[in-house]
Amino acid sequence: MSKAPFMPPQGSSFAGQVDLLYLFLVAISLFFSLLIAGLIVYLAVRYKRRSPRDIGVPIHGSGVLEIAWSVIPLVIMLGSFVWGTMLFFHLSRPPADAVEYFAVGKQWMWKFQHPDGTREINTLHLPVGQPVKVTLTSEDVIHDLFVPAFRVKMDVLPARYSTIWFQPVRVGTYHLFCAEYCGAEHSRMGGWIVVQEPEDYERWLAGERGQENRLASPEDLFKRFACESCHRTDSVARAPQLAGLFGKQVRFKDGSAIVADDNYILESILKPNEKIVAGYQPIMPTFQGQMSQEEALALVRYVRGLEAGK
């Protein structure tokens, strides 16, 4: 199936499952389309009026026939729905051992960041067999990351995080696209995912990228932007403590509340006055335009990993 001229190669662990559901739906649609078209032609010829004296006779309903044409489509549609729902949940939930990468869409390029801070433009190197979770955001307009060989596609929105995951199963180079029209140079916004053997990937990480391509560590960014001057653990703290914040409920001055997730932490960094935490003053400056999306992503990941009491 992967060598069929009308199908891209199957480069991820679930590409075959997606193709199987797609071909099943195509086959069902084609079968019933041909069946209905054939019956229309057959009945038109079989019961053609051949003389002016031909008069039709009343048609009496058939209970068996009516049950058949109601139950059979219902079973097929429900089966397709359950099949598609199970596959959707599988595609939406990355496994626990997935390694997190980051991608930022910008007119007209893709900026990728590895877990160790190594950065790439329009190319992402990955080890084969490793489940990968990619956290996505945009610096300007709506983009859409689409990798046909992996059967993954996700909108990429400004000031908001979305995620996809996949597990490359074959070494090779796979084309990626922006599937959302994003401006005059939209057609240039593409790139490649290079899947390597694990030892080749480690060699590439160690030798082919220098320190100048690495992002500063989240700890260094936390100090550079003076986050620790307010988010302290002592009695003079002027902002909420960040350790143990991720996943906890946060209450605001207006009485509303929210569970702290990636999007809330990102909003608190870029637009801190949008939501004021109860018991604190709106003294935090905005960092929108003061840091890159990669730096904001790194800080969000850093806050997410802070454990209470440490």
Side-chain angles (χ1 to χ4, degrees):
M1 185 186 303
S2 61
K3 296 182 179 179
F6 58 88
M7 299 286 282
Q10 296 178 346
S12 69
S13 58
F14 49 66
Q17 301 175 52
V18 175
D19 289 352
L20 189 60
L21 175 59
Y22 171 75
L23 293 176
F24 170 76
L25 294 175
V26 170
I28 288 294
S29 302
L30 188 62
F31 171 77
F32 281 102
S33 297
L34 293 176
L35 176 64
I36 293 171
L39 286 175
I40 290 174
V41 173
Y42 169 75
L43 295 174
V45 174
R46 174 69 176 80
Y47 295 104
K48 177 182 178 182
R49 190 179 187 186
R50 289 177 172 76
S51 78
R53 292 177 296 179
D54 288 346
I55 300 175
V57 296
I59 299 175
H60 301 285
S62 170
V64 175
L65 188 59
E66 291 183 5
I67 291 174
W69 72 41
S70 298
V71 172
I72 292 176
L74 178 64
V75 171
I76 293 174
M77 294 306 297
L78 287 178
S80 302
F81 172 76
V82 172
W83 188 357
T85 301
M86 293 174 63
L87 186 56
F88 171 78
F89 280 115
H90 177 58
L91 301 182
S92 303
R93 296 175 176 175
D97 61 341
V99 177
E100 187 172 17
Y101 291 68
F102 301 94
V104 178
K106 177 184 179 183
Q107 293 176 322
W108 287 272
M109 65 175 70
W110 291 103
K111 298 190 288 186
F112 295 103
Q113 181 183 324
H114 293 248
D116 68 346
T118 298
R119 292 180 287 181
E120 299 184 82
I121 300 292
N122 290 337
T123 301
L124 176 62
H125 288 74
L126 295 173
V128 66
Q130 172 63 57
V132 170
K133 172 187 174 185
V134 184
T135 299
L136 307 152
T137 190
S138 169
E139 282 192 12
D140 37 45
V141 299
I142 299 176
H143 301 283
D144 189 300
L145 184 66
F146 178 37
V147 187
F150 295 163
R151 310 299 192 269
V152 292
K153 179 178 177 297
M154 178 59 71
D155 281 349
V156 183
L157 309 176
R160 186 169 180 176
Y161 289 149
S162 53
T163 61
I164 57 173
W165 84 274
F166 51 82
Q167 181 178 0
V169 294
R170 293 182 181 178
V171 172
T173 301
Y174 303 99
H175 208 169
L176 64 87
F177 303 89
C178 176
E180 180 75 30
Y181 181 73
C182 56
E185 303 293 332
H186 164 71
S187 61
R188 293 174 50 194
M189 193 167 173
W192 302 92
I193 291 182
V194 180
V195 180
Q196 301 174 296
E197 294 291 349
E199 56 271 20
D200 294 334
Y201 173 73
E202 292 299 329
R203 192 178 303 117
W204 176 86
L205 268 184
E208 297 194 23
R209 291 297 183 192
Q211 290 294 324
E212 68 275 9
N213 293 314
R214 293 180 184 275
L215 188 68
S217 70
E219 293 81 359
D220 290 340
L221 292 172
F222 198 75
K223 295 177 181 177
R224 183 201 302 175
F225 291 105
C227 307
E228 59 187 0
S229 63
C230 293
H231 294 283
R232 303 161 59 118
T233 57
D234 54 28
S235 58
V236 296
R238 295 183 294 171
Q241 294 188 19
L242 301 179
L245 170 67
F246 190 81
K248 297 288 184 59
Q249 188 179 66
V250 181
R251 292 200 171 277
F252 305 112
K253 275 189 172 181
D254 61 3
S256 61
I258 195 173
V259 175
D261 57 6
D262 287 350
N263 285 307
Y264 167 69
I265 297 172
L266 178 65
E267 184 185 43
S268 299
I269 295 173
L270 302 181
K271 301 176 181 177
N273 293 325
E274 291 289 328
K275 296 182 177 68
I276 306 301
V277 177
Y280 294 91
Q281 297 299 317
I283 59 174
M284 179 171 167
T286 177
F287 286 94
Q288 192 160 32
Q290 307 300 315
M291 65 175 64
S292 68
Q293 285 290 342
E294 294 98 320
E295 291 171 333
L297 279 167
L299 283 175
V300 170
R301 184 178 48 167
Y302 178 71
V303 173
R304 187 201 308 161
L306 290 176
E307 298 180 15
K310 294 187 177 180

